[in-house]
Amino acid sequence: MRRAKRALPLVAVVLALGAALSGCGSESGPRGDGVSTGQERAEGSGKEKGMDMQEAAEESDALLDAVLEGIDPEVQWAHGPTTTRACGVTRRRAVMTVVSPERRQTFLDRAETFWRKNDYRIKAVNKDEKFPAVYAVTRSGFGVSVSFRGKGQAFLEADSPCVKESEVAAPASEPNGPAYEGVYPLPRPNVRSDFWSAEGG
């Protein structure tokens, strides 16, 4: 009996500690690949600052506008679908300029350089020959990425931290080419560029 009495306080401490820790987690993005402890803290900050999904969507649009402006020469792009999850929002852009295999790493390098200059944390770099990508996190907890997928098309995404639920309007920024409104999936890249579509390093 004595042994059982001694074990009881220890069990109570473990249970209490487990309950306390269970409240510290945060939701990951739709891929379920949480970013880091710092990112998790940031994901709670959106709600604390009173940001809602619409404001987060507008911030995401600004982040995507900025990186596209930072990629030189300019590429043509169109809006991709907006999605919402439990407490966050994702904005997407599809690049309509053909980027040759030889130029894909240069494209990613320019996005990464822009993010580093603006104090984003580079979370991961995928050097895959066919489907390279780079992922970063802003100081306010927004995840941003540029990745190459089927037919060598480049896609940009911005994932918000956890924010208050609200309605989300369509993006206000105008694409610098056809909008493809109501067209899904978007066409493959169909605009050629002297620089981005050229073969050779």
Side-chain angles (χ1 to χ4, degrees):
M1 269 313 255
R2 256 183 206 173
R3 191 174 294 170
K5 282 184 181 177
R6 269 191 224 127
L8 194 58
L10 180 60
V11 170
V13 168
V14 169
L15 288 174
L17 184 59
L21 289 174
S22 67
C24 295
S26 75
E27 292 196 30
S28 303
R31 291 179 297 275
D33 62 353
V35 179
S36 71
T37 304
Q39 170 73 359
E40 287 165 2
R41 284 196 298 270
E43 287 190 345
S45 68
K47 280 189 173 178
E48 289 162 17
K49 292 176 183 176
M51 180 180 279
D52 64 23
M53 285 183 173
Q54 177 58 37
E55 292 166 323
E58 290 168 4
E59 177 67 16
S60 296
D61 289 335
L63 293 171
L64 295 176
D65 286 340
V67 69
L68 281 163
E69 287 169 12
I71 294 173
D72 184 50
E74 180 183 62
V75 292
Q76 193 175 108
W77 61 270
H79 288 292
T82 295
T83 55
T84 57
R85 52 193 187 278
C87 64
V89 60
T90 300
R91 290 288 213 204
R92 296 177 175 84
R93 307 275 173 93
V95 173
M96 306 310 295
T97 299
V98 175
V99 180
S100 68
E102 295 82 2
R103 297 292 193 196
R104 288 172 196 165
Q105 192 56 55
T106 301
F107 189 94
L108 294 174
D109 289 345
R110 293 187 183 179
E112 182 178 347
T113 297
F114 173 82
W115 287 335
R116 287 187 185 278
K117 282 181 179 176
N118 287 277
D119 297 325
Y120 294 21
R121 181 173 62 81
I122 303 303
K123 176 183 146 186
V125 176
N126 180 351
K127 296 280 190 180
D128 185 85
E129 193 173 314
K130 285 186 73 176
F131 305 116
V134 61
Y135 305 87
V137 182
T138 72
R139 286 176 291 178
S140 55
F142 282 74
V144 288
S145 67
V146 178
S147 59
F148 282 88
R149 300 179 199 162
K151 304 294 184 184
Q153 188 164 25
F155 292 89
L156 296 90
E157 291 189 8
D159 296 309
S160 81
C162 192
V163 294
K164 293 179 181 177
E165 188 174 359
S166 72
E167 294 293 321
V168 179
S173 49
E174 292 289 332
N176 60 353
Y180 298 107
E181 287 183 27
V183 176
Y184 188 81
L186 289 171
R188 294 301 189 182
N190 52 30
V191 178
R192 296 199 70 83
S193 155
D194 288 345
F195 180 81
W196 293 115
S197 308
E199 296 179 6

